[in-house]
Amino acid sequence: MFTYEYARPALTTDCVVFGLDDEALKVLLIQRDIPPFEGEWALPGGFVHVGESLEAAARRELKEETALEGFFLEQLHSYGDPDRDPREHVVTVSYFGLVNLIDHPPRAATDARNAGWFGLDDLPSLAFDHQQIVDTALERLRGKLRYQPVGFELLPRLFTLTELQQLYEQVLERTLDKRNFRKKVLSLGILRETDEVQQDVAHRAARLYEFDEAAYEERRQNGFHFEL
Amino acid sequence: MFTYEYARPALTTDCVVFGLDDEALKVLLIQRDIPPFEGEWALPGGFVHVGESLEAAARRELKEETALEGFFLEQLHSYGDPDRDPREHVVTVSYFGLVNLIDHPPRAATDARNAGWFGLDDLPSLAFDHQQIVDTALERLRGKLRYQPVGFELLPRLFTLTELQQLYEQVLERTLDKRNFRKKVLSLGILRETDEVQQDVAHRAARLYEFDEAAYEERRQNGFHFEL
């Protein structure tokens, strides 16, 4: 038991992790194994340990509950409404993550009853204020996609220009003109054309590209602003 | 005394409040009255009470320590490095505020030993990781100023176009072309020209403008993006 002079809110982290497959933009959820909201779906997360940084807590919980490791994760927003948890006053620091589902296929969870990827149009009712956190994360993703090259985190290392365009179309929920998109994205000078082509296609296999992070960093330091 | 089954980090809020005067962009600091860092300068802030929202805690501490009330405040970022406070593991949710120093002149503090506005080029050494929080807030302010009409929060209700330009020049730390700036800002259609002119000037008193929030909201809902 731990005793303090003043009452303290409890502190958790919760993660909105987005992944992309052929069909849709998806978000990683776990099925809660304990009350409150037992059996309901929620964002992966849990209590911050004393002596642990916020990001370390977020990554630990993700690994424990969904076996997911080593991907883009950044802080989103903190939620502290006193009524957001029926047990007591719990403040949560939310994180926003991006993974590519090719390198991180869905796996059985350990600490949670169940874990799974859900299409954004097909989310179950979420525990706590987690729907609000998902909405904020989606807004952040849409904003970042236009002004930072974070979209590549959702793709495998090598991708076709069509896959890149589909990513933008799925996240931004609008159709883009193929010719304009290609011209714009290639003019940024941050894609490297590889010698490889798409596998497993019958004919006209498309060229594979990769994100050239070094080129992006160099351009950025010279005042270049990514915009797509 | 309050007892919990597991140890909990302590939870605080800290605020970076920016104000603008004729000379420079300034930040509001308090002088600490108690250890750690007794006598040193720090951001206004303090412990979050159980049952209190994060923003309510931030506003309460600001009022208690600096007598400041009723101004633009939004969440910035949460810091949770276990070593950021020498006493124990303290997580802080930081906020970012904007006030105009005409309507909110510096006042004597109550809960702090002293409070004052410091030019960003002339900050004292700050307690904890508060310099890092100020740096993050300044980066946020510079980004927001370009894409959201938040700059008006730093000006009195009525202002001249020269004052608006000086605001952008001081925050962005660069000189802007007067003619281009006026043309661009007036073309946004979110300033209302008033019948009033500047007081207390010998001759050629400049026209006063105000931010037309209703016009901005209407334009924004029609897909308009503020950019300056």
Side-chain angles (χ1 to χ4, degrees):
Chain A
M1 297 299 245
F2 294 84
T3 301
Y4 303 102
E5 191 177 351
Y6 300 100
R8 299 183 168 191
L11 186 67
T12 59
T13 60
D14 285 300
C15 294
V16 184
V17 181
F18 292 113
L20 190 73
D21 67 12
D22 294 346
E23 294 161 20
L25 183 66
K26 304 209 159 165
V27 62
L28 180 60
L29 299 177
I30 58 114
Q31 196 174 19
R32 288 180 59 82
D33 216 14
I34 50 166
F37 301 103
E38 187 178 351
E40 294 192 37
W41 292 91
L43 296 172
F47 292 97
V48 176
H49 296 172
V50 166
E52 180 180 51
S53 77
L54 298 168
E55 184 175 327
R59 290 194 183 271
R60 175 182 51 73
E61 288 288 346
L62 271 170
K63 189 178 168 186
E64 287 172 5
E65 295 185 342
T66 72
L68 210 56
E69 283 185 87
F71 54 90
F72 176 91
L73 192 70
E74 72 167 31
Q75 200 184 102
L76 182 64
H77 191 80
S78 295
Y79 296 85
D81 186 284
D83 303 321
R84 57 178 295 285
D85 190 308
R87 292 167 292 187
E88 62 162 320
H89 189 181
V90 179
V91 172
T92 196
V93 181
S94 67
Y95 278 79
F96 151 79
L98 300 174
V99 302
N100 81 69
L101 291 179
I102 311 292
D103 296 346
H104 299 92
R107 276 217 274 160
T110 53
D111 265 26
R113 181 183 294 186
N114 209 344
W117 292 94
F118 288 78
L120 272 168
D121 292 339
D122 197 29
L123 289 186
S125 159
L126 298 182
F128 307 104
D129 53 358
H130 288 185
Q131 183 63 54
Q132 184 191 350
I133 303 179
V134 170
D135 293 344
T136 303
L138 186 59
E139 204 178 304
R140 172 80 63 97
L141 172 61
R142 288 185 174 142
K144 283 190 99 76
L145 209 58
R146 295 193 53 210
Y147 299 109
Q148 285 179 41
V150 295
F152 304 108
E153 305 288 346
L154 290 165
L155 294 175
R157 188 176 67 83
L158 300 181
F159 49 83
T160 66
L161 293 182
T162 299
E163 286 169 336
L164 184 61
Q165 180 176 342
Q166 282 168 349
L167 154 68
Y168 273 79
E169 290 183 332
Q170 281 188 346
V171 177
L172 301 179
E173 289 186 330
R174 62 166 188 257
T175 309
L176 300 169
D177 179 74
K178 182 173 169 176
R179 212 172 135 150
N180 281 343
F181 181 82
R182 286 177 181 232
K183 198 172 144 187
K184 204 165 174 183
V185 75
L186 290 175
S187 75
L188 294 174
I190 59 171
L191 290 188
R192 200 175 67 77
E193 187 176 337
T194 71
D195 295 331
E196 297 175 55
V197 294
Q198 216 175 0
Q199 301 298 314
D200 307 323
V201 287
H203 55 110
R204 294 197 65 178
R207 177 72 58 184
L208 292 170
Y209 290 80
E210 70 179 335
F211 173 48
D212 188 343
E213 195 164 352
Y216 169 66
E217 274 308 319
E218 195 190 318
R219 303 201 75 168
R220 203 173 62 85
Q221 274 164 27
N222 292 320
F224 162 81
H225 287 289
F226 178 91
E227 195 179 335
L228 201 62
Chain B
M1 298 299 244
F2 294 85
T3 301
Y4 303 102
E5 192 178 349
Y6 298 100
R8 299 184 167 190
L11 186 67
T12 60
T13 60
D14 286 300
C15 294
V16 184
V17 182
F18 292 112
L20 190 74
D21 67 11
D22 295 345
E23 294 160 20
L25 184 66
K26 304 208 159 165
V27 62
L28 181 60
L29 299 177
I30 58 113
Q31 196 173 21
R32 287 181 59 82
D33 215 13
I34 50 164
F37 301 104
E38 187 179 352
E40 294 191 37
W41 292 91
L43 296 173
F47 292 97
V48 176
H49 296 171
V50 166
E52 180 181 52
S53 76
L54 297 168
E55 183 174 329
R59 290 194 183 271
R60 175 182 51 72
E61 288 287 346
L62 270 171
K63 188 177 169 187
E64 287 173 4
E65 293 185 343
T66 71
L68 211 56
E69 284 184 86
F71 54 91
F72 176 92
L73 192 71
E74 71 168 30
Q75 200 184 104
L76 182 63
H77 192 80
S78 296
Y79 296 85
D81 186 284
D83 303 320
R84 56 177 297 283
D85 190 308
R87 290 167 293 187
E88 63 162 319
H89 189 183
V90 180
V91 172
T92 196
V93 181
S94 67
Y95 278 80
F96 151 81
L98 300 173
V99 302
N100 82 69
L101 292 179
I102 311 292
D103 295 347
H104 298 94
R107 277 218 272 161
T110 53
D111 266 24
R113 183 184 291 186
N114 209 344
W117 292 93
F118 288 78
L120 272 168
D121 292 338
D122 197 29
L123 289 187
S125 158
L126 298 182
F128 307 104
D129 53 358
H130 288 186
Q131 182 63 53
Q132 184 192 351
I133 303 178
V134 170
D135 293 344
T136 303
L138 185 60
E139 204 178 303
R140 172 80 65 97
L141 173 61
R142 287 186 176 141
K144 283 190 99 75
L145 208 59
R146 294 194 54 210
Y147 298 109
Q148 284 180 39
V150 296
F152 305 109
E153 304 287 346
L154 290 164
L155 294 174
R157 189 175 66 82
L158 301 180
F159 50 84
T160 66
L161 293 182
T162 300
E163 286 168 335
L164 183 61
Q165 181 177 341
Q166 282 167 349
L167 153 68
Y168 272 79
E169 291 183 332
Q170 281 189 346
V171 176
L172 301 179
E173 289 186 328
R174 63 165 189 255
T175 310
L176 300 169
D177 178 74
K178 182 172 167 174
R179 215 173 133 149
N180 281 344
F181 181 82
R182 284 176 184 233
K183 198 173 146 187
K184 202 164 175 184
V185 75
L186 290 175
S187 75
L188 294 174
I190 59 171
L191 291 189
R192 200 175 66 76
E193 186 175 339
T194 72
D195 295 331
E196 297 175 56
V197 294
Q198 216 176 1
Q199 301 298 312
D200 308 324
V201 287
H203 56 110
R204 296 197 61 179
R207 177 71 59 185
L208 292 171
Y209 290 80
E210 69 179 335
F211 172 49
D212 189 343
E213 195 164 351
Y216 168 67
E217 274 308 320
E218 196 190 318
R219 303 201 74 170
R220 202 172 64 85
Q221 275 163 27
N222 291 320
F224 161 82
H225 287 288
F226 178 91
E227 194 180 336
L228 202 60

